[in-house]
Amino acid sequence: MATQYLDPGIYTNIFPVQIPDETVEVMCASTNAYPSLREIREQIRASCRSIRVYRLEGIVLGYGSDLDWFADKGFERLHKRLYDYPKWCSRMIVEGLVDTLREHGYRERVGKGRTTLYEPQPFRQAAQGRLCVFRGYDLRAIFWWKEKQPLFGLIVDICWEIHDANGKRLSSPEIAQYNAVTEIAQIQEEFLPGNRINPEVSRLRLHNHVLPFVQSHCKFTLPCSKSVVATVGTVPLRVILGV
């Protein structure tokens, strides 16, 4: 697949996301009934259901493809317009993309406030094959308002993970023991040949990694009660310089 061509200019790593103005069925409960979502999330994981919960504006939203599970847990069946809850939509953008990537074998690593997924196969090898360099994508979603309508964006950052031959994730001091720090920095495009610092690493990562990733996963379904398809624009938002 050819990489998306970009006109000359300065670009961010934010890609516009189109979501249809739909109303979907959800289950709602008061936050007083669920001051913490940990217990119900554990119950959902144990049930292996395709459902989720999210706290928002005094309510707990239960959503997904198997809403009947919430019926005997104090939830009420309602209909909600997606555009009225942009924070929830932003969350579902990441969740929908993550679901798609998992189906393709991506490995998820969750941190506070962000989600990272690594490709199933190593991007490169280093230290004469003793180390595997995995390419990952750090995903976040944002929204902003324009003419009283929410607009959505997907933020994609590149990240890397180094494993040894046994599949153990290595720290920087452990990588240094293989004398492969410079080699890995070149694989990650931080260094140019000759061990020179790459002044265009951000541009190269956008063109060589981020753009192909977005182009390959530009359509996916949100985890709603009905099929709602999100479409990611393959051209990132530009920086407009004005006076």
Side-chain angles (χ1 to χ4, degrees):
M1 181 181 294
T3 302
Q4 173 71 50
Y5 171 78
L6 297 181
D7 291 327
I10 302 173
Y11 291 86
T12 68
N13 60 335
I14 304 174
F15 296 81
V17 182
Q18 295 292 330
I19 296 177
D21 187 2
E22 294 273 6
T23 297
V24 299
E25 191 174 49
V26 298
M27 301 294 279
C28 294
S30 169
T31 53
N32 294 330
Y34 291 95
S36 172
L37 298 183
R38 177 177 297 177
E39 182 178 349
I40 191 170
R41 283 175 173 159
E42 290 177 352
Q43 293 176 10
I44 290 172
R45 281 193 290 269
S47 69
C48 299
R49 305 294 180 97
S50 298
I51 49 178
R52 293 177 169 96
V53 288
Y54 182 58
R55 185 191 310 277
L56 179 67
E57 299 174 5
I59 61 175
V60 176
L61 290 176
Y63 57 102
S65 60
D66 194 3
L67 297 181
D68 291 340
W69 186 87
F70 295 102
D72 61 349
K73 299 185 182 299
F75 283 74
E76 178 185 4
R77 193 179 299 269
L78 296 173
H79 289 82
K80 298 290 186 182
R81 180 177 178 241
L82 293 177
Y83 281 13
D84 290 340
Y85 299 91
K87 288 184 180 179
W88 176 41
C89 288
S90 297
R91 182 183 181 92
M92 287 197 295
I93 287 170
V94 174
E95 290 175 337
L97 180 53
V98 167
D99 289 346
T100 298
L101 295 175
R102 283 175 177 165
E103 293 175 358
H104 289 85
Y106 280 67
R107 174 171 44 86
E108 183 178 5
R109 185 178 181 86
V110 179
K112 186 176 180 180
R114 54 206 313 141
T115 300
T116 305
L117 288 103
Y118 291 92
E119 294 174 335
Q121 300 299 324
F123 176 71
R124 293 283 191 277
Q125 291 186 329
Q128 299 178 335
R130 293 178 295 161
L131 298 179
C132 292
V133 181
F134 285 87
R135 182 171 57 180
Y137 303 89
D138 185 276
L139 306 174
R140 287 168 289 161
I142 59 172
F143 73 92
W144 61 96
W145 294 96
K146 181 178 181 181
E147 299 176 355
K148 299 182 178 181
Q149 292 285 351
L151 301 178
F152 301 94
L154 175 68
I155 304 173
V156 183
D157 285 313
I158 282 290
C159 53
W160 306 90
E161 196 173 72
I162 314 302
H163 290 190
D164 65 13
N166 296 319
K168 176 188 174 183
R169 184 174 184 264
L170 301 181
S171 64
S172 296
E174 290 172 325
I175 295 169
Q177 296 177 8
Y178 289 82
N179 296 320
V181 173
T182 299
E183 181 184 2
I184 290 173
Q186 291 178 344
I187 292 173
Q188 298 174 352
E189 298 175 336
E190 296 173 359
F191 281 7
L192 296 170
N195 299 336
R196 294 177 294 125
I197 294 176
N198 185 359
E200 295 190 335
V201 58
S202 295
R203 183 184 66 82
L204 287 176
R205 285 181 173 176
L206 177 65
H207 280 268
N208 296 341
H209 307 286
V210 175
L211 290 180
F213 171 79
V214 172
Q215 189 176 3
S216 298
H217 305 95
C218 60
K219 286 185 181 292
F220 51 88
T221 302
L222 300 185
C224 297
S225 57
K226 65 179 181 181
S227 180
V228 177
V229 176
T231 303
V232 184
T234 56
V235 177
L237 299 182
R238 295 185 65 174
V239 176
I240 306 299
L241 301 179
V243 179

